[in-house]
Amino acid sequence: NFFKCDNEICVRFDQLCNLVDDCGDGSDEKECRNHFQCKTSRFYIPLVQKCDGKNDCLDHSDECNDVCGKEIISGVWLKLLAGSIGGSSVLLNTGSLVRSFLSIRDKKKAALCNRTLSILINFGDLLTGLYLLLISVQDSFMIGSDYCKKQSQWLSSDHCAFLGILNSFGSTMSLFSMTFLSIFRALNIRGGTLHGDTKKWKVWFLISIIIVSSIA
């Protein structure tokens, strides 16, 4: 009716696999499959509490492990994809912005609004690409597998807030710019090209709406 521990102590059989180290050396829990042992404290928790989204171990080892560890971007390939897309977006949109600014003086007044809205779309896409690039670099080289333990600290950090604002502002600016560009072109097709002060007012009005909407 007794179990002999590795340290020669005897305990009752009903004390085996009860999530308590009754032997003092852990031998009464060593072969059990109904628990998980926290890495630092060596305390036992029921196996169902492993990877349940709650930190039951003080060192978070029940949630931060090879089975259910968290990362900002899961998987090496997704990190590479995010970094590649982000880097390409930054380079291509930067080049497009430079070309647009260099050629905007040569544009006729009829194309001014189209060119300006296109610049805003490029700028919004550049910011979104920069977000993807920064978040992939942050996850790959600065946080990595420690994200699981530092998740709360990361989510409340100024860096995370900045990246969130960068992504939101960039994507919103692109969306509103594309919407207004489509509306502007449709109105021009329907009503003909505007000239003079009316065109200038329309351009600045659209730009103001896009910027205010993106900030809001």
Side-chain angles (χ1 to χ4, degrees), residues 9-78:
I9 294 177
C10 293
V11 297
R12 299 190 310 273
F13 272 110
D14 60 3
Q15 292 178 298
L16 297 178
C17 302
N18 64 348
L19 308 183
V20 179
D21 183 8
D22 298 292
C23 289
D25 61 0
S27 56
D28 57 316
E29 304 294 323
K30 182 170 59 176
E31 302 297 331
C32 302
R33 298 184 178 182
N34 66 332
H35 62 63
F36 174 81
Q37 188 176 32
C38 300
K39 187 174 182 180
T40 302
S41 64
R42 312 305 294 174
F43 288 152
Y44 296 98
I45 62 173
L47 189 61
V48 294
Q49 292 182 336
K50 179 184 177 182
C51 301
D52 63 348
K54 299 179 181 179
N55 292 315
D56 299 291
C57 295
L58 295 178
D59 58 2
H60 309 301
S61 57
D62 58 316
E63 301 297 323
C64 303
N65 50 66
D66 295 337
V67 177
C68 54
K70 297 179 181 178
E71 296 179 342
I72 298 177
I73 303 176
S74 300
V76 176
W77 290 110
L78 280 180

Side-chain angles (χ1 to χ4, degrees), residues 78-146:
L78 280 180
K79 288 183 177 67
L80 291 174
L81 182 62
S84 300
I85 293 175
S88 299
S89 178
V90 170
L91 290 175
L92 293 175
N93 283 289
T94 299
S96 181
L97 284 171
V98 171
R99 288 193 301 270
S100 296
F101 280 117
L102 291 177
S103 63
I104 198 169
R105 297 178 181 178
D106 301 329
K107 290 291 178 182
K108 297 179 181 180
K109 292 183 177 180
L112 178 60
C113 188
N114 283 342
R115 175 58 62 182
T116 304
L117 290 172
S118 296
I119 288 175
L120 291 178
I121 293 172
N122 287 139
F123 184 67
D125 289 344
L126 186 149
L127 294 180
T128 304
L130 184 61
Y131 161 78
L132 284 174
L133 181 61
L134 291 177
I135 202 72
S136 61
V137 170
Q138 183 83 20
D139 189 28
S140 300
F141 301 104
M142 301 179 69
I143 297 180
S145 59
D146 290 336

